Amino acid sequence: MRAIRNRRGEGYITICVAVIILCMLISIFVTFASAVNIVRQTERNSRVVLDSFVMKNSIIIYNSIKQGNDVTASLNRNEYISDFSSFNSLDLRGNMLYYYDEDGKEQYRLTKPTISFVQDNHLKIQVQYTIRIPLYFAGIKVSEAVIPMTVVSRFDEKF
């Protein structure tokens, strides 16, 4: 085994800097991946709740189809928001819905979903909201990602 000739450690500075930069890049990638995962999961959950909302109102929808059209009179926004917040374990405060982790730290928040018809009074329903994900680096909130979301559900005739 050879003895280290330079005992001051000058040769290790570039390696240490490279390792720190690599760790920072990995941290940024993990933060980005978790934010994308939150957005996808929220979109999936809102689609499930919206489809469930359509199925709950299936008697009204079925009667409309029996009459030969797909016209529906109105939508109950509060019912959808209640189902959406309970399905996602969200806390309603003011005009925002919040999701906290086990430590009580905010993971994301979103505006109250707005449910509307894609085409007036037809069985094509859309939900719009904006999700805000705080971005942390070394435990400090650096920025916030703001993503507008639109989810569409349609009830089409099979015949």
Side-chain angles (χ1 to χ4, degrees):
M1 192 161 155
R2 291 178 44 184
I4 298 175
R5 294 183 188 182
N6 185 353
R7 296 188 183 266
R8 293 187 301 188
E10 293 170 349
Y12 298 111
I13 292 175
T14 55
I15 293 172
C16 291
V17 170
V19 167
I20 290 173
I21 291 173
L22 181 65
C23 290
M24 291 173 74
L25 290 174
I26 290 172
S27 174
I28 290 170
F29 176 73
V30 168
T31 302
F32 176 76
S34 68
V36 169
N37 186 36
I38 289 171
V39 170
R40 285 184 180 162
Q41 186 65 36
T42 305
E43 179 185 17
R44 222 175 294 130
N45 290 347
S46 62
R47 186 174 313 279
V48 167
V49 173
L50 187 60
D51 290 343
S52 173
F53 179 78
V54 169
M55 293 310 292
K56 278 184 183 177
N57 297 308
S58 64
I59 294 173
I60 298 168
I61 293 168
Y62 182 70
N63 285 335
S64 295
I65 291 174
K66 282 192 330 187
Q67 299 301 324
N69 60 26
D70 62 352
V71 177
T72 307
S74 65
L75 298 171
N76 188 349
R77 178 182 181 208
N78 292 330
E79 179 184 349
Y80 177 79
I81 292 172
S82 173
D83 291 346
F84 184 70
S85 62
S86 65
F87 188 78
N88 290 309
S89 302
L90 300 171
D91 293 333
L92 177 64
R93 294 185 184 166
N95 287 330
M96 302 291 281
L97 297 167
Y98 293 88
Y99 181 77
Y100 298 101
D101 62 5
E102 296 83 26
D103 299 330
K105 185 171 145 183
E106 177 188 331
Q107 290 294 312
Y108 63 90
R109 69 179 183 268
L110 47 99
T111 58
K112 275 188 177 177
T114 305
I115 187 167
S116 61
F117 293 106
V118 174
Q119 185 179 0
D120 288 340
N121 297 331
H122 285 71
L123 301 174
K124 294 157 186 71
I125 301 170
Q126 73 179 359
V127 172
Q128 294 178 327
Y129 57 89
T130 302
I131 187 167
R132 297 175 182 269
I133 304 170
L135 302 174
Y136 294 96
F137 185 74
I140 300 171
K141 184 178 176 181
V142 176
S143 182
E144 189 172 79
V146 179
I147 301 109
M149 299 290 294
T150 301
V151 179
V152 178
S153 180
R154 300 170 191 260
F155 191 84
D156 294 323
E157 297 180 54
K158 296 282 184 180
F159 306 104

